[in-house]
Amino acid sequence: MDLKITCIPGDGIGPEIVAEAKKVLDAVAEKYGHVMHYTDILMGGASIDAYGVPLTAEAVAAAKSADAVLMGSIGGDTTTSPWYKLPPDRRPEAGLLAIRKELNLFANLRPAVLYGELRGACPLKEEISAAGFDMLIMRELTGGLYFGERRTTEENGVRKAVDTLVYDENEIRRIAVKGFDIAMKRRKKVTSVDKANVLDSSRLWRSVVEEVAKDYPEVTLEHMLVDNCAMQLVKDPAQFDVILTENMFGDILSDEASMVTGSIGMLASASLNDTKFGLYEPSHGSAPDIAGQDIANPIATVLSAAMMLRYSFDLDREADAIEDAVRQVLKEGYRTGDIMSEGCIRTGCKQMGDLLAERIR
Ligand code: NAD
């Protein structure tokens, strides 16, 4: 299969971790007979330095012409970098917001997996972490409270602020379909999270999700109130497979789920539109404090590349091979600095990429 991939190395550790993800993808291509066609584009600080803007029209066109986009991370040190002296719409992050909008990415996926070998980093009690967990949070990304009308007024000397939370049934249906499709590739369970005891938008959410569920008889659907979900994530995270939720609830719950893994360098993510197209990137930032030292953990980016193979190209066997390689290398005791523990073998960014590529071959 020919895979057309646009890469955004970005800033900070971005170029280092994307190079390792490409190394691993090349090993997959070699083993399973695929051809990778990469086009690199600039975004964020690198694009500001080259073109004066965080994202050019040419870069957007290159991203749109690919089957998927693989990104490192963008941005610099927000207190010292000259990029943060620019007006907000010219700063590195403006490039990210613009590309998400241009590509119509409405579904955000954040897996939170606790690897047996990294259980020590999990902040939960051992009797909870012992069960492990492997969940995926599917968050609606372009609607709800963050995109509704807002205003601040003053009446009789009293300031008043209003935000509005709006969803129509089509916005809910398209994210629900994505959630159920992805559950079919996993353990076939969807937990739809809402606040249907209080909010009209949640009651609509719940009824549309139930309509969509009828097309997926193999998937078990349960509903959970968001406050209960926040508790269950730390009490019994093993119960979750796919958590399907709206924008603000997903924003908060996905950070909570990430934190309970305890390992920021291991967390992948994807943002999808209504075709097979997606933008895949690690959940962490550009880590300017460790850039250029060959010590960053490339695994989150490598796992994002595995998600790309699974969700944009339907190459499940190849995605499994990458995830198995990560488990294998961890089992053999190799660790980058951020996940290092006693008795393990410290590796750099490049060596971690080499090890993963070797295990795939
Ligand atoms: P960060 O995630 O970059 O770093 C937080 C801490 O985690 C740092 O100590 C860093 O060294 C460490 N870390 C992060 N990723 C690591 C990895 N792969 N291996 C080893 N250690 C790792 O968060 P921050 O410092 O708040 O942000 C730095 C820059 O990244 C800012 O400009 C911010 O705006 C940007 N950012 C970009 C994105 C994105 O591109 N999607 C996301 C978050 C932050």
Side-chain angles (χ1 to χ4, degrees):
M1 182 174 181
D2 276 9
L3 288 75
K4 252 177 99 181
I5 302 164
T6 291
C7 295
I8 306 177
D11 307 315
I13 59 170
E16 299 168 59
I17 54 184
V18 168
E20 299 317 307
K22 280 184 181 169
K23 198 185 272 177
V24 171
L25 284 171
D26 288 342
V28 167
E30 210 178 285
K31 168 132 190 211
Y32 296 97
H34 302 298
V35 183
M36 305 284 172
H37 302 277
Y38 303 113
T39 309
D40 280 8
I41 61 172
L42 298 182
M43 194 171 94
S47 176
I48 296 172
D49 289 348
Y51 307 115
V53 288
L55 183 68
T56 61
E58 292 74 29
V60 172
K64 283 185 176 166
S65 70
D67 301 318
V69 176
L70 179 66
M71 188 173 124
S73 187
I74 51 117
D77 185 319
T78 49
T79 49
T80 59
S81 165
W83 299 328
Y84 295 93
K85 303 218 162 35
L86 295 167
D89 63 338
R90 304 258 307 279
R91 290 181 192 172
E93 287 69 19
L96 188 54
L97 295 179
I99 203 163
R100 283 184 178 148
K101 195 164 170 225
E102 285 283 348
L103 301 175
N104 194 25
L105 304 171
F106 66 84
N108 181 247
L109 278 70
R110 294 247 308 251
V113 180
L114 183 62
Y115 291 90
E117 292 73 21
L118 303 182
R119 208 163 277 161
C122 175
L124 302 178
K125 278 188 194 161
E126 216 183 306
E127 62 251 41
I128 299 172
S129 67
F133 55 82
D134 177 354
M135 72 181 93
L136 188 144
I137 304 208
M138 167 73 79
R139 163 189 172 195
E140 202 288 327
L141 206 55
T142 57
L145 201 60
Y146 298 168
F147 289 86
E149 268 178 50
R150 67 188 87 250
R151 66 183 173 279
T152 304
T153 53
E154 193 169 320
E155 278 170 39
N156 304 324
V158 178
R159 284 173 299 158
K160 189 165 133 186
V162 181
D163 296 287
T164 48
L165 198 178
V166 183
Y167 272 110
D168 70 38
E169 59 179 309
N170 297 328
E171 289 172 301
I172 301 170
R173 190 167 293 111
R174 67 180 184 174
I175 183 90
V177 165
K178 284 270 177 215
F180 280 89
D181 280 348
I182 278 166
M184 287 295 291
K185 283 180 174 267
R186 295 175 47 98
R187 301 193 307 278
K188 300 189 173 66
K189 179 179 174 191
V190 169
T191 304
S192 174
V193 174
D194 60 38
K195 189 73 184 168
N197 53 343
V198 179
L199 301 175
D200 264 18
S201 56
S202 281
R203 285 190 273 272
L204 180 64
W205 180 278
R206 201 174 269 218
S207 78
V208 175
V209 168
E210 278 177 1
E211 285 163 26
V212 171
K214 290 189 186 127
D215 295 331
Y216 298 84
E218 288 174 56
V219 178
T220 306
L221 168 67
E222 66 174 12
H223 299 285
M224 190 177 280
L225 295 175
V226 62
D227 37 353
N228 184 25
C229 185
M231 290 191 285
Q232 295 298 327
L233 277 173
V234 289
K235 196 171 156 236
D236 179 18
Q239 69 182 287
F240 295 112
D241 179 16
V242 174
I243 292 180
L244 170 67
T245 192
E246 60 93 72
N247 201 345
M248 183 180 61
F249 298 159
D251 187 7
I252 299 165
L253 295 176
S254 60
D255 270 11
E256 185 188 358
S258 302
M259 274 318 297
V260 294
T261 69
S263 313
I264 190 173
M266 302 288 297
L267 298 168
S269 89
S271 301
L272 310 178
N273 68 16
D274 51 9
T275 67
K276 284 274 171 193
F277 185 91
L279 183 147
Y280 299 84
E281 57 175 322
S283 295
H284 58 73
S286 60
D289 53 329
I290 58 165
Q293 299 173 38
D294 190 30
I295 57 172
N297 185 350
I299 294 180
T301 317
V302 168
L303 291 172
S304 302
M307 290 180 82
M308 176 179 77
L309 297 180
R310 194 181 300 286
Y311 298 124
S312 282
F313 298 103
D314 280 321
L315 296 174
D316 287 4
R317 182 187 53 168
E318 288 79 346
D320 287 345
I322 295 182
E323 290 168 4
D324 290 347
V326 168
R327 283 199 183 86
Q328 180 67 28
V329 163
L330 292 176
K331 204 173 280 169
E332 291 167 23
Y334 294 103
R335 304 279 190 276
T336 44
D338 57 312
I339 51 172
M340 186 65 193
S341 59
E342 221 185 300
C344 291
I345 312 152
R346 187 185 283 265
T347 69
C349 183
K350 283 189 190 138
Q351 193 191 350
M352 182 55 89
D354 288 341
L355 287 163
L356 293 168
E358 274 165 26
R359 298 301 174 272
I360 285 165
R361 284 193 190 98

PDB file of all heavy atoms in Angstrom, residues 348-360:
ATOM      1  N   GLY A 348      18.863   6.776  24.896  1.00  0.00           N
ATOM      2  CA  GLY A 348      18.535   8.097  24.347  1.00  0.00           C
ATOM      3  C   GLY A 348      17.353   7.955  23.384  1.00  0.00           C
ATOM      4  O   GLY A 348      16.817   6.861  23.181  1.00  0.00           O
ATOM      5  N   CYS A 349      16.990   9.094  22.796  1.00  0.00           N
ATOM      6  CA  CYS A 349      15.856   9.134  21.868  1.00  0.00           C
ATOM      7  C   CYS A 349      16.132   8.253  20.635  1.00  0.00           C
ATOM      8  O   CYS A 349      15.333   7.400  20.263  1.00  0.00           O
ATOM      9  CB  CYS A 349      15.637  10.595  21.469  1.00  0.00           C
ATOM     10  SG  CYS A 349      14.251  10.911  20.400  1.00  0.00           S
ATOM     11  N   LYS A 350      17.323   8.459  20.043  1.00  0.00           N
ATOM     12  CA  LYS A 350      17.664   7.708  18.824  1.00  0.00           C
ATOM     13  C   LYS A 350      17.751   6.218  19.091  1.00  0.00           C
ATOM     14  O   LYS A 350      17.268   5.405  18.320  1.00  0.00           O
ATOM     15  CB  LYS A 350      19.025   8.177  18.282  1.00  0.00           C
ATOM     16  CG  LYS A 350      18.948   9.493  17.561  1.00  0.00           C
ATOM     17  CD  LYS A 350      20.270   9.769  16.865  1.00  0.00           C
ATOM     18  CE  LYS A 350      20.275  11.187  16.352  1.00  0.00           C
ATOM     19  NZ  LYS A 350      21.531  11.884  16.554  1.00  0.00           N
ATOM     20  N   GLN A 351      18.376   5.867  20.225  1.00  0.00           N
ATOM     21  CA  GLN A 351      18.535   4.440  20.517  1.00  0.00           C
ATOM     22  C   GLN A 351      17.171   3.784  20.740  1.00  0.00           C
ATOM     23  O   GLN A 351      16.944   2.640  20.329  1.00  0.00           O
ATOM     24  CB  GLN A 351      19.439   4.233  21.744  1.00  0.00           C
ATOM     25  CG  GLN A 351      19.882   2.781  21.872  1.00  0.00           C
ATOM     26  CD  GLN A 351      20.551   2.449  23.202  1.00  0.00           C
ATOM     27  OE1 GLN A 351      20.862   3.348  23.999  1.00  0.00           O
ATOM     28  NE2 GLN A 351      20.756   1.169  23.447  1.00  0.00           N
ATOM     29  N   MET A 352      16.254   4.516  21.379  1.00  0.00           N
ATOM     30  CA  MET A 352      14.910   3.970  21.580  1.00  0.00           C
ATOM     31  C   MET A 352      14.250   3.702  20.223  1.00  0.00           C
ATOM     32  O   MET A 352      13.640   2.657  19.997  1.00  0.00           O
ATOM     33  CB  MET A 352      14.072   4.933  22.439  1.00  0.00           C
ATOM     34  CG  MET A 352      12.684   4.439  22.753  1.00  0.00           C
ATOM     35  SD  MET A 352      12.626   2.808  23.553  1.00  0.00           S
ATOM     36  CE  MET A 352      12.722   3.240  25.285  1.00  0.00           C
ATOM     37  N   GLY A 353      14.409   4.650  19.278  1.00  0.00           N
ATOM     38  CA  GLY A 353      13.861   4.447  17.928  1.00  0.00           C
ATOM     39  C   GLY A 353      14.488   3.238  17.253  1.00  0.00           C
ATOM     40  O   GLY A 353      13.794   2.427  16.630  1.00  0.00           O
ATOM     41  N   ASP A 354      15.821   3.082  17.403  1.00  0.00           N
ATOM     42  CA  ASP A 354      16.512   1.933  16.799  1.00  0.00           C
ATOM     43  C   ASP A 354      15.974   0.623  17.367  1.00  0.00           C
ATOM     44  O   ASP A 354      15.717  -0.330  16.633  1.00  0.00           O
ATOM     45  CB  ASP A 354      18.027   1.996  17.108  1.00  0.00           C
ATOM     46  CG  ASP A 354      18.729   3.105  16.319  1.00  0.00           C
ATOM     47  OD1 ASP A 354      18.168   3.562  15.307  1.00  0.00           O
ATOM     48  OD2 ASP A 354      19.832   3.513  16.741  1.00  0.00           O
ATOM     49  N   LEU A 355      15.822   0.585  18.695  1.00  0.00           N
ATOM     50  CA  LEU A 355      15.357  -0.643  19.349  1.00  0.00           C
ATOM     51  C   LEU A 355      13.957  -1.026  18.853  1.00  0.00           C
ATOM     52  O   LEU A 355      13.681  -2.189  18.540  1.00  0.00           O
ATOM     53  CB  LEU A 355      15.312  -0.447  20.873  1.00  0.00           C
ATOM     54  CG  LEU A 355      16.661  -0.399  21.582  1.00  0.00           C
ATOM     55  CD1 LEU A 355      16.512   0.206  22.978  1.00  0.00           C
ATOM     56  CD2 LEU A 355      17.259  -1.805  21.669  1.00  0.00           C
ATOM     57  N   LEU A 356      13.085  -0.020  18.766  1.00  0.00           N
ATOM     58  CA  LEU A 356      11.702  -0.301  18.332  1.00  0.00           C
ATOM     59  C   LEU A 356      11.702  -0.802  16.882  1.00  0.00           C
ATOM     60  O   LEU A 356      11.011  -1.766  16.542  1.00  0.00           O
ATOM     61  CB  LEU A 356      10.838   0.965  18.469  1.00  0.00           C
ATOM     62  CG  LEU A 356      10.603   1.432  19.916  1.00  0.00           C
ATOM     63  CD1 LEU A 356       9.991   2.833  19.946  1.00  0.00           C
ATOM     64  CD2 LEU A 356       9.699   0.452  20.658  1.00  0.00           C
ATOM     65  N   ALA A 357      12.503  -0.138  16.029  1.00  0.00           N
ATOM     66  CA  ALA A 357      12.557  -0.549  14.618  1.00  0.00           C
ATOM     67  C   ALA A 357      13.102  -1.972  14.500  1.00  0.00           C
ATOM     68  O   ALA A 357      12.575  -2.796  13.747  1.00  0.00           O
ATOM     69  CB  ALA A 357      13.421   0.435  13.831  1.00  0.00           C
ATOM     70  N   GLU A 358      14.130  -2.282  15.301  1.00  0.00           N
ATOM     71  CA  GLU A 358      14.712  -3.640  15.260  1.00  0.00           C
ATOM     72  C   GLU A 358      13.693  -4.686  15.675  1.00  0.00           C
ATOM     73  O   GLU A 358      13.603  -5.754  15.077  1.00  0.00           O
ATOM     74  CB  GLU A 358      15.891  -3.737  16.245  1.00  0.00           C
ATOM     75  CG  GLU A 358      17.209  -3.285  15.681  1.00  0.00           C
ATOM     76  CD  GLU A 358      18.234  -3.063  16.804  1.00  0.00           C
ATOM     77  OE1 GLU A 358      18.105  -3.696  17.875  1.00  0.00           O
ATOM     78  OE2 GLU A 358      19.125  -2.218  16.607  1.00  0.00           O
ATOM     79  N   ARG A 359      12.920  -4.397  16.735  1.00  0.00           N
ATOM     80  CA  ARG A 359      11.947  -5.393  17.221  1.00  0.00           C
ATOM     81  C   ARG A 359      10.867  -5.642  16.172  1.00  0.00           C
ATOM     82  O   ARG A 359      10.296  -6.707  16.102  1.00  0.00           O
ATOM     83  CB  ARG A 359      11.283  -4.936  18.533  1.00  0.00           C
ATOM     84  CG  ARG A 359      12.236  -4.750  19.703  1.00  0.00           C
ATOM     85  CD  ARG A 359      13.010  -6.038  20.050  1.00  0.00           C
ATOM     86  NE  ARG A 359      14.005  -5.808  21.077  1.00  0.00           N
ATOM     87  CZ  ARG A 359      15.269  -5.408  20.825  1.00  0.00           C
ATOM     88  NH1 ARG A 359      15.690  -5.242  19.594  1.00  0.00           N
ATOM     89  NH2 ARG A 359      16.115  -5.240  21.832  1.00  0.00           N
ATOM     90  N   ILE A 360      10.567  -4.631  15.363  1.00  0.00           N
ATOM     91  CA  ILE A 360       9.540  -4.799  14.313  1.00  0.00           C
ATOM     92  C   ILE A 360      10.089  -5.661  13.175  1.00  0.00           C
ATOM     93  O   ILE A 360       9.410  -6.545  12.678  1.00  0.00           O
ATOM     94  CB  ILE A 360       9.070  -3.434  13.787  1.00  0.00           C
ATOM     95  CG1 ILE A 360       8.162  -2.819  14.852  1.00  0.00           C
ATOM     96  CG2 ILE A 360       8.321  -3.556  12.465  1.00  0.00           C
ATOM     97  CD1 ILE A 360       7.898  -1.348  14.684  1.00  0.00           C
TER      98      ILE A 360
END
